Every structure is written in structure tokens, then in C-alpha cells.
């Protein structure tokens, strides 16, 4: 699994099979990434998501992408860093479940945001560490997933995630 860290808009990644949505419990239009994905996908996404809601912390589901250039959207629910117990555990679980449902759906590539760092208030360094460790440690379980692109909003966040990727890669090389 190749992991890329790019500055870019999550809904403008036409070369990947799926977008990973940092979802709320009801899989509804929200602020940030959820709002951008729902807006770009069109109202059909909101209607389709109703059959799956609510989802539990750490859970993930796959839906069609509708008007997006990507065939799929993976909705994964992380925890609020300040409002939920054990948010680190649920962020790790959300990534694990996103990989599992992607694999089950035959998804080979995905773009994802810096999950948890927006309205869920995760410190970026902590979120980056958890996300990168979760991806790289599980990569052998999902050999058909060839690319995960993490889309961030600026150079500072890119540097945080790149540092976490470099550290996680070094750790996995040692094991």
C-alpha cells in the first residue's frame, strides 16, 4: 500500500476509486469534509445514507459516489477528541473498518482527509500518528488496496502527516 500526503481538495481526486468521509453518526450532510462530499455527490447520497444510520463509533460503510467522479464513498465514524471516551481507539478502529469495507467492495484506491482534526478536535500530530500507524500496520491484510492518498489543507498539516508517515514507515521497516 502506497500512502501519499498531498495538499488538495478531497472531492477533486478523480483518479481514486473512493473518498473516505469523516462521517457523523447519522451519515448526514455536515460541516467540513462531510459537507463537501455530500454537496459534490448530490442529494442522492443523503437519501442513500439514511438506510445505514446511525453508525457506531469506529464503524464504516460504503455507498455509491453518485455525482462524484469516484464510484464509492466510504463513511467512517471517528470519535470526538474532547467529547468521547477513548477517542484514539475509535480513530484507529475507524481506519481499520474503512480498510475492511474498502477491501470487501473491491476498492483499490482511496483519498481521505486528516480524519478527526476538524470538528472532532484531534491534535494533528496525534491524529497523524494514529492514522499512519493504522494504515501501515494493516497494509499486509489488504494487499489489493494499492493507494491511500491523505488530502490536507495546507503545508503545515502536510508536514505533520509526512513526519508521521516517515516515522511509521521506519517503525514498520524495523518490524
Amino acid at each position: 500500500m502506497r500512502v501519499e500526503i498531498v495538499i488538495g481538495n478531497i472531492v477533486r481526486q478523480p483518479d481514486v476509486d473512493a473518498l473516505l468521509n469523516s462521517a457523523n453518526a447519522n451519515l448526514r450532510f455536515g460541516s467540513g469534509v462531510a459537507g463537501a462530499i455530500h454537496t459534490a455527490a448530490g442529494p442522492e447520497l443523503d437519501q442513500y445514507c439514511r438506510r445505514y444510520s446511525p453508525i457506531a463509533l469506529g464503524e464504516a460503510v460504503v455507498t455509491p459516489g453518485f455525482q462524484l467522479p469516484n464510484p464509492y464513498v466510504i463513511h467512517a465514524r471517528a470519535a470526538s477528541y474532547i467529547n468521547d471516551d477513548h477517542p484514539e481507539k475509535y480513530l484507529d478502529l475507524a481506519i481499520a473498518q474503512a480498510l475492511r469495507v474498502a477491501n470487501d467492495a473491491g476498492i483499490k484506491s482511496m483519498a481521505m482527509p486528516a480524519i478527526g482534526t476538524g470538528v472532532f478536535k484531534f491534535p494533528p500530530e496525534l491524529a497523524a500518528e494514529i492514522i499512519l500507524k493504522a494504515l501501515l500496520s494493516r497494509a499486509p491484510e489488504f494487499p489489493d488496496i494499492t493507494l491511500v492518498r491523505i488530502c490536507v489543507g495546507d503545508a503545515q498539516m502536510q508536514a505533520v502527516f509526512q513526519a508521521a508517515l516517515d516515522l511509521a514507515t521506519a517503525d514498520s521497516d524495523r518490524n
Side-chain angles (χ1 to χ4, degrees):
M1 175 187 301
R2 188 178 72 202
V3 177
E4 299 175 344
I5 315 296
V6 302
I7 298 171
N9 186 328
I10 187 93
V11 299
R12 292 195 174 88
Q13 306 300 316
D15 61 325
V16 296
D17 298 333
L19 301 183
L20 180 55
N21 178 24
S22 183
N24 54 49
N26 293 318
L27 304 175
R28 302 301 302 275
F29 184 96
S31 62
V33 170
I37 290 174
H38 273 269
T39 298
E44 299 91 352
L45 180 60
D46 186 60
Q47 283 295 113
Y48 194 90
C49 284
R50 291 176 189 203
R51 69 184 75 188
Y52 295 108
S53 75
I55 64 169
L57 287 172
E59 189 175 351
V61 298
V62 177
T63 66
F66 295 101
Q67 294 176 34
L68 287 163
N70 320 89
Y72 302 100
V73 176
I74 302 166
H75 307 265
R77 184 175 172 217
S80 167
Y81 187 73
I82 56 176
N83 294 325
D84 294 312
D85 293 333
H86 314 291
E88 297 92 341
K89 172 181 123 180
Y90 289 111
L91 179 54
D92 177 75
L93 184 59
I95 299 299
Q97 293 302 316
L99 290 171
R100 181 187 58 76
V101 300
N103 188 69
D104 292 350
I107 293 167
K108 307 241 182 280
S109 60
M110 69 177 86
M112 63 178 283
I115 291 182
T117 60
V119 297
F120 290 156
K121 305 291 186 203
F122 259 88
E125 293 80 6
L126 179 59
E129 177 186 348
I130 293 166
I131 291 167
L132 273 302
K133 281 183 180 177
L135 289 170
L136 294 180
S137 69
R138 292 178 176 92
E141 297 172 52
F142 305 106
D144 292 336
I145 299 175
T146 58
L147 171 65
V148 176
R149 178 178 301 142
I150 301 173
C151 298
V152 298
D154 58 40
Q156 182 178 353
M157 190 69 87
Q158 184 183 35
V160 167
F161 271 77
Q162 188 62 54
L165 174 59
D166 295 345
L167 185 59
T169 302
D171 287 348
S172 69
D173 289 346
R174 281 193 286 270
N175 296 332

